[in-house]
């Protein structure tokens, strides 16, 4: 036993080392098409029955919700299979903005909504717009106007799902639970998403083969389904840097829902 004495003979009681706080588990998972998936299933876009099977597997793994990062406005023969799958778990789809432009009044975007087709859309728990303006990896679109109505971005919808809080936008700020983000003059949240931590992607094959170590990760999570093969489009961050576009989306949701915010 070791006894410590301070100057003057005072007994010092050794203090146990303080354990560091455990890392907070991400509420997100990312299921992505990989190069190996392209070799297995053929060229992308896949038959939508494959996407339907992925959604069913995610639901079977007891995930909380699904976000599909593909445009699905064109009709396909197997759309009814995806519709059926989407009704088994809250499933959110992206929509495009056609003829997009900046509003002179507030700098926000407006355009014509391009939503999932009429077979898939009724199964959606919600839709959010996706579009990117020039950025340096620290500005996230929140709202736009589509067909005369105000709509949320898919990034904001994802952040609400992941955080469990409904967003409020007022007085030049985005409030999401206890987190607060200033807005730039164009209504975008300032959050350095390019630096946000994201989960290691899981391939379509990993989900469809029901590999236990991978599917176990999905329980209780918000699962983003996207694309991460080598030919994926990339978002420029300036200075010659870029990141894959669907990886950027996951980073945006992670930044808003988990970190890089100013706590109130």
């Amino acid at each position: 036993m070791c006894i410590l004495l301070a100057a003057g003979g005072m007994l010092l009681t050794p203090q146990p080392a303080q354990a560091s706080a455990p890392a907070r588990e991400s509420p997100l998972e990312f299921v992505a098409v990989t190069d190996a998936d392209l070799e297995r299933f053929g060229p992308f876009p896949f038959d939508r029955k494959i996407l339907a099977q992925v959604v069913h597997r995610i639901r079977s793994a007891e995930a909380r919700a699904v976000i599909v990062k593909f445009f699905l406005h064109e009709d396909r023969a197997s759309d009814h299979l995806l519709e059926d799958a989407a009704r088994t778990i809250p499933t959110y789809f992206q929509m495009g903005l056609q003829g997009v432009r900046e509003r002179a009044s507030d700098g926000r975007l407006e355009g014509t909504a391009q939503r999932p087709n009429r077979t898939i859309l009724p199964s959606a728990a919600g839709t959010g717009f996706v579009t990117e303006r020039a950025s340096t990896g620290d500005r996230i679109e929140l709202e736009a106007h589509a067909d005369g109505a105000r709509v949320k971005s898919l990034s904001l919808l994802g952040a609400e799902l992941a955080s469990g809080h409904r967003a409020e936008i007022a007085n030049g700020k985005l409030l999401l639970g206890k987190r607060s983000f200033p807005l730039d003059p164009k209504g975008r949240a300032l959050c350095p998403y390019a630096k946000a931590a994201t989960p290691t992607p899981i391939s379509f094959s990993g989900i469809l083969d029901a590999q236990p170590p991978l599917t176990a990760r999905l329980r209780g999570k918000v699962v983003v389904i996207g694309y991460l093969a080598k030919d994926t489009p990339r978002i420029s961050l300036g200075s010659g840097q870029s990141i894959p576009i669907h990886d950027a989306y996951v980073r945006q949701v992670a930044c808003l829902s988990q970190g890089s915010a100013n706590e109130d």
Side-chain angles (χ1 to χ4, degrees), residues 57-123:
R57 290 288 191 186
I58 292 171
R59 190 267 306 163
S60 296
E62 301 182 33
R64 179 152 47 99
V66 171
I67 299 172
V68 180
K69 274 288 292 148
F70 302 134
F71 288 114
L72 300 171
H73 55 281
E74 296 181 346
D75 294 331
R76 295 287 186 270
S78 53
D79 283 340
H80 65 287
L81 298 177
L82 180 55
E83 179 212 7
D84 290 343
R87 291 187 184 278
T88 67
I89 182 173
T91 303
Y92 297 77
F93 295 97
Q94 71 177 20
M95 69 177 186
L97 289 178
Q98 300 298 301
V100 66
R101 56 199 175 275
E102 288 186 5
R103 287 159 48 106
S105 58
D106 57 11
R108 286 168 171 77
L109 298 176
E110 64 180 353
T112 302
Q114 185 183 56
R115 293 183 171 86
N117 66 47
R118 60 185 179 181
T119 300
I120 296 171
L121 184 59
S123 67

Side-chain angles (χ1 to χ4, degrees), residues 2-185:
C2 179
I3 299 177
L4 302 180
L5 297 177
M10 183 178 295
L11 181 65
L12 297 180
T13 303
Q15 298 296 317
Q18 292 186 349
S20 58
R24 182 169 45 184
E25 184 179 10
S26 172
L28 299 169
E29 289 292 348
F30 185 20
V31 173
V33 175
T34 64
D35 293 309
D37 293 326
L38 296 177
E39 293 181 7
R40 177 176 175 179
F41 301 113
F44 190 82
F46 300 150
D47 190 307
R48 288 181 185 158
K49 69 181 181 183
I50 296 175
L51 181 55
Q53 290 167 359
V54 169
V55 173
H56 277 303
R57 290 288 191 186
I58 292 171
R59 190 267 306 163
S60 296
E62 301 182 33
R64 179 152 47 99
V66 171
I67 299 172
V68 180
K69 274 288 292 148
F70 302 134
F71 288 114
L72 300 171
H73 55 281
E74 296 181 346
D75 294 331
R76 295 287 186 270
S78 53
D79 283 340
H80 65 287
L81 298 177
L82 180 55
E83 179 212 7
D84 290 343
R87 291 187 184 278
T88 67
I89 182 173
T91 303
Y92 297 77
F93 295 97
Q94 71 177 20
M95 69 177 186
L97 289 178
Q98 300 298 301
V100 66
R101 56 199 175 275
E102 288 186 5
R103 287 159 48 106
S105 58
D106 57 11
R108 286 168 171 77
L109 298 176
E110 64 180 353
T112 302
Q114 185 183 56
R115 293 183 171 86
N117 66 47
R118 60 185 179 181
T119 300
I120 296 171
L121 184 59
S123 67
T127 58
F129 78 88
V130 294
T131 189
E132 292 293 335
R133 288 183 274 194
S135 174
T136 55
D138 62 354
R139 287 166 170 77
I140 302 174
E141 300 286 352
L142 300 178
E143 292 183 319
H145 290 260
D147 305 324
R150 189 165 67 176
V151 295
K152 293 180 181 179
S153 71
L154 197 66
S155 297
L156 183 56
L157 280 177
E160 289 182 323
L161 287 169
S163 68
H165 295 286
R166 195 166 189 83
E168 296 181 34
I169 299 175
N171 301 319
K173 290 183 179 181
L174 165 66
L175 303 177
L176 197 61
K178 294 183 178 181
R179 300 187 179 281
S180 171
F181 301 85
L183 306 186
D184 76 356

Side-chain angles (χ1 to χ4, degrees), residues 222-234:
V222 175
V223 181
V224 178
I225 300 177
Y227 189 91
L228 207 56
K230 62 184 178 183
D231 62 345
T232 186
R234 302 177 71 90

Side-chain angles (χ1 to χ4, degrees), residues 172-252:
K173 290 183 179 181
L174 165 66
L175 303 177
L176 197 61
K178 294 183 178 181
R179 300 187 179 281
S180 171
F181 301 85
L183 306 186
D184 76 356
K186 296 181 179 181
R188 298 174 294 185
L190 298 179
C191 189
Y193 67 85
K195 300 178 181 179
T198 56
T200 303
I202 303 172
S203 69
F204 269 39
S205 294
I207 293 298
L208 293 176
D209 294 342
Q211 299 174 17
L214 300 180
T215 55
R217 287 169 43 185
L218 306 184
R219 186 173 185 178
K221 300 295 186 68
V222 175
V223 181
V224 178
I225 300 177
Y227 189 91
L228 207 56
K230 62 184 178 183
D231 62 345
T232 186
R234 302 177 71 90
I235 291 179
S236 174
L237 303 177
S239 302
Q241 296 181 322
S242 65
I243 54 178
I245 192 166
H246 288 182
D247 179 49
Y249 172 75
V250 178
R251 291 174 184 270
Q252 289 180 0

